[in-house]
């Protein structure tokens, strides 16, 4: 693609393509490094990693490529109060524990390293880009990140969020449309009211901010990339399209689910983590989300901790009916190949689309 803009120049990218961070293991160092080696930008989703795991994963990327790569965290969230529906939530998921041969669930607690501990590891990691979702960062965090020369990217699902992020000093904004797989980045107002599709969201954010905008959500091939560029985006961030690559760290059964899912097979759910995310509908999601069960969902991240043993056991046994099958609405366009082959295809398709649009010939 003979396409270059300021954002790509700043990050020394050959292609305006970003492999989305996918916390939970989809974005293996092998996937990230392969993406970076092609001249696109790979991301490690580090939200669930300890500082030493962040350093190890970054070393594994660095061992494979010297190209720039990114790391992503969830913005720090206030700790939720102890919920009064703990027992109900535990009883609600207990049958799924039982069917997988697990003992009755333990009371979930907030675990894991603090954002500041993770950020310190990222500063040492050798990453060139730091992105985040679910909120904004404190001025102190922004200052530390900038002082160490990292390019800073926040995630917005509305124009208002993009403007707030720009005001806090980010260098670029991911515009996450409602088609997107995985968790919603929404941090101002109601998630359901912030379900704006990529084609409507991107140009409205482009008009409202002066920093580069990265289009994300439902982009699966070169037609989607060309469309995003036409809307004013400087690059695209694609998650689902990379999950079915050979290097992606999700199970074969999950890949097959994506490859065979239709565009109407995903929806938003709070069932797995207590925070809205888009995934392929399955038995667990349906059971926990049903009207009578909704009150038994704990706030994020407690619900995530409560359902983790189910997801881990289900992953080992290939039981996709109990897994969080995060995926966007573009599933019918998903393809099976190496990450290198995918990026080569994306580049060719984008070129062809731009050429067809110019020449009027298909
Ligand atoms: C499995 C999965 C995990 C994700 N994890 C993260 C994450 O850790 N951090 C983040 O900023 N976005 C995460 N996302 C959202 C992506 O950044 C992006 O917005 C989304 O994948 C775009 O939609 P698409 O899947 O249709 O390409 C995740 C998406 C998926 C599919």
């Amino acid at each position: 693609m003979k396409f270059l803009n300021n954002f790509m120049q700043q990050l020394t990218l050959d292609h305006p393509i970003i492999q989305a961070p996918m916390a939970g293991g989809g974005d293996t160092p092998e996937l990230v490094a392969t993406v970076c080696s092609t001249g696109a930008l790979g991301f490690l989703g580090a939200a669930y990693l300890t500082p030493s795991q962040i350093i190890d994963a970054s070393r594994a990327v660095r061992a494979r490529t010297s190209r720039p790569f990114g790391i992503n965290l969830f913005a720090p969230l206030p700790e939720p109060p102890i919920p009064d529906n703990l027992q109900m939530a535990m009883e609600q998921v207990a049958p799924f524990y039982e069917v997988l041969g697990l003992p009755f669930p333990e009371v979930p607690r907030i675990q894991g390293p603090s954002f500041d501990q993770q950020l310190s590891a990222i500063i040492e990691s050798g990453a060139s880009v730091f992105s985040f979702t679910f909120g904004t960062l404190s001025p102190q965090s922004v200052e530390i990140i900038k002082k160490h020369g990292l390019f800073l990217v926040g995630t917005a699902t509305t124009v208002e969020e993009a403007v707030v992020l720009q005001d806090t000093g980010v260098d670029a904004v991911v515009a996450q449309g409602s088609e997107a797989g995985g968790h919603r980045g929404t941090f101002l107002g109601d998630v359901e009211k912030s379900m704006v599709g990529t084609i409507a969201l991107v140009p409205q954010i482009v008009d409202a901010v002066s920093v580069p905008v990265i289009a994300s959500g439902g982009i699966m091939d070169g037609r989607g990339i060309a469309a995003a560029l036409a809307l004013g985006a400087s690059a695209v961030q694609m998650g689902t399209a990379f999950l079915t690559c050979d290097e992606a760290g999700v199970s074969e059964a999950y890949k097959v689910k994506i490859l065979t899912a239709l565009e109407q097979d995903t929806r938003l759910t709070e069932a797995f983590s207590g925070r809205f995310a888009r995934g392929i509908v399955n038995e667990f999601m349906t059971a926990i989300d049903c009207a009578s069960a909704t009150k038994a969902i704990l706030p994020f991240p407690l619900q995530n901790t409560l359902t983790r043993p189910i997801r881990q056991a289900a992953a080992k046994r290939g039981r996709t009916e109990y897994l969080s099958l995060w995926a966007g609405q573009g599933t019918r366009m998903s393809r099976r190949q190496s990450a290198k082959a995918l990026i080569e295809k994306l580049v060719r398709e984008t070129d062809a689309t731009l050429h067809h649009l110019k020449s009027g010939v298909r």
Side-chain angles (χ1 to χ4, degrees):
M1 203 180 321
K2 307 266 181 311
F3 181 84
L4 192 64
N5 56 39
N6 288 343
F7 172 79
M8 291 165 65
Q9 259 174 329
Q10 250 182 303
L11 297 181
T12 67
L13 299 181
D14 297 330
H15 312 301
I17 300 171
I18 299 172
Q19 163 253 307
M22 291 182 279
D27 48 10
T28 58
E30 199 189 350
L31 176 68
V32 175
T34 307
V35 168
C36 295
S37 313
T38 66
L41 183 66
F43 256 98
L44 286 171
Y48 304 129
L49 301 185
T50 62
S52 64
Q53 287 170 327
I54 291 174
I55 296 291
D56 288 349
S58 308
R59 282 203 186 120
V61 173
R62 264 289 156 266
R64 292 172 168 88
T65 181
S66 55
R67 301 265 320 153
F69 71 99
I71 306 196
N72 169 278
L73 291 179
F74 299 158
L77 296 168
E79 214 167 277
I82 308 236
D84 52 15
N85 59 347
L86 261 178
Q87 192 59 30
M88 213 188 345
M90 286 157 63
E91 279 164 18
Q92 198 68 51
V93 299
F96 296 96
Y97 271 66
E98 198 179 340
V99 89
L100 289 160
L102 301 168
F104 191 82
E106 283 177 22
V107 175
R109 297 183 201 293
I110 309 247
Q111 309 159 325
S114 70
F115 175 86
D116 288 343
Q117 290 167 328
Q118 291 174 310
L119 183 59
S120 299
I122 288 172
I123 299 289
E124 281 175 41
S125 69
S128 307
V129 188
F130 173 68
S131 77
F132 59 95
T133 185
F134 296 179
T136 54
L137 302 187
S138 68
Q140 293 81 352
S141 297
V142 172
E143 196 188 321
I144 293 169
I145 293 160
K146 294 278 179 87
K147 196 173 95 193
H148 288 87
L150 282 113
F151 190 91
L152 182 61
V153 184
T155 306
T157 59
T158 59
V159 170
E160 189 190 1
E161 288 174 353
V163 171
V164 166
L165 285 165
Q166 173 172 262
D167 291 346
T168 64
V170 299
D171 298 308
V173 172
V174 171
Q176 188 190 41
S178 56
E179 302 92 323
H183 284 101
R184 304 293 303 145
T186 304
F187 59 93
L188 296 177
D190 189 71
V191 171
E192 278 159 11
K193 280 197 196 142
S194 308
M195 292 297 284
V196 185
T198 305
I199 204 159
L201 183 65
V202 171
Q204 295 188 76
I205 291 187
V206 167
D207 288 346
V209 299
S210 56
V211 293
V213 175
I214 300 160
S216 192
I219 300 169
M220 301 292 288
D221 62 18
R223 295 171 299 181
I225 297 173
L229 298 176
L231 295 172
S234 295
V236 298
Q237 177 160 297
M238 302 164 66
T240 306
F242 283 98
L243 274 181
T244 50
C245 284
D246 302 336
E247 299 90 338
V250 300
S251 68
E252 181 57 27
Y254 184 174
K255 289 182 186 178
V256 170
K257 276 283 181 191
I258 294 175
L259 288 161
T260 54
L262 308 181
E263 67 282 13
Q264 70 269 36
D265 287 346
T266 69
R267 68 169 166 76
L268 287 198
T269 182
E270 293 177 288
F272 289 102
S273 71
R275 212 188 142 93
F276 279 109
R278 181 179 292 286
I280 298 170
V281 178
N282 64 1
E283 189 186 322
F284 182 84
M285 197 195 276
T286 309
I288 303 297
D289 274 341
C290 77
S292 63
T294 310
K295 286 186 219 77
I297 295 179
L298 300 175
F300 181 88
L302 291 172
Q303 182 76 5
N304 201 46
T305 308
L306 179 65
T307 66
R308 184 171 293 127
I310 298 175
R311 290 178 282 121
Q312 285 173 340
K316 274 195 203 128
R317 285 159 226 191
R319 303 285 299 266
T320 53
E321 66 271 42
Y322 309 130
L323 278 181
S324 49
L325 300 169
W326 302 145
Q329 289 180 321
T331 44
R332 231 191 249 264
M333 293 179 275
S334 57
R335 302 173 275 197
R336 184 90 220 228
Q337 68 267 288
S338 68
K340 182 168 181 282
L342 173 61
I343 291 174
E344 285 167 358
K345 264 188 217 165
L346 294 173
V347 171
R348 274 200 309 275
E349 289 168 353
T350 310
D351 274 345
T353 307
L354 296 173
H355 176 76
H356 290 151
L357 286 171
K358 216 169 158 194
S359 66
V361 182
R362 270 206 100 71

